Amino acid sequence: MKNLFERSAVEEVKGRMAQLRPDSAAHWGKMNAAQAVEHCARGMELALGDRRPPRVLIGRILGPLVKPMAFRDGEPMRKNSPTVPGLAVEDERDLEAERSRLCGLIDRFAAGGPACCTTHPHSFFGRLTPEEWSAWMYKHLDHHLRQFGA
């Protein structure tokens, strides 16, 4: 499974992010490109431990059952997947500023390696290993880049 500890995966997502334009049309969802990039930055903050949302009840119940399917290699995230509370972006954003911020967070994550990953549980899946965080962050970025055809 691709992950953000692999330099090639980091370069791939950055190259795909560079294809986004302020007027890039979404194939699904409510966010525009700038909002989706900020949403992805907030996701990276989860993996880094900068954001620490509480576990959600439904995740405590279903998380262990859904996690093996969600982390299956080669399976992208489904369209319109639910989001972690606090990660949704509804206000207007500047794409260039958000892209720069996200690239910095990706670089920080990749450079820090497994030691930089949070030990705080994911709000839905629960505890994740650094390798799971890295793979999930790649899947999340891929999901939103595919949302805009990048």
Side-chain angles (χ1 to χ4, degrees):
M1 185 179 302
K2 290 185 180 183
N3 69 75
L4 294 183
F5 294 147
E6 297 171 356
R7 189 40 111 193
S8 61
V10 168
E11 295 306 319
E12 173 204 320
V13 296
K14 285 182 173 184
R16 291 168 65 193
M17 280 180 13
Q19 297 173 20
L20 296 176
R21 301 288 172 254
D23 62 348
S24 293
H27 299 296
W28 69 83
K30 298 176 184 172
M31 292 183 285
N32 63 34
Q35 290 168 328
V37 172
E38 167 57 15
H39 167 76
C40 288
R42 292 177 185 185
M44 291 301 305
E45 289 174 335
L46 287 179
L48 289 161
D50 297 347
R51 286 181 184 263
R52 301 179 74 157
R55 293 286 314 272
V56 293
L57 179 60
I58 193 76
R60 290 179 186 271
I61 297 166
L62 296 178
L65 302 172
V66 174
K67 183 179 169 186
M69 294 180 285
F71 281 78
R72 194 172 305 152
D73 192 18
E75 297 261 341
M77 286 177 67
R78 292 185 316 188
K79 296 176 183 177
N80 298 310
S81 295
T83 192
V84 170
L87 267 60
V89 180
E90 296 176 0
D91 58 322
E92 286 305 312
R93 298 294 177 136
D94 175 73
L95 179 59
E96 290 310 315
E98 301 307 338
R99 187 177 0 233
S100 177
R101 177 171 125 72
L102 178 54
C103 283
L105 289 165
I106 292 169
D107 287 342
R108 181 176 146 210
F109 183 87
C116 79
C117 288
T118 186
T119 57
H120 186 73
H122 186 277
S123 65
F124 185 80
F125 295 121
R127 296 238 176 251
L128 298 179
T129 66
E131 291 73 21
E132 289 171 329
W133 274 114
S134 184
W136 190 247
M137 290 299 96
Y138 174 85
K139 274 195 171 207
H140 188 239
L141 290 164
D142 174 68
H143 172 75
H144 288 289
L145 290 166
R146 284 185 306 104
Q147 180 183 9
F148 293 92

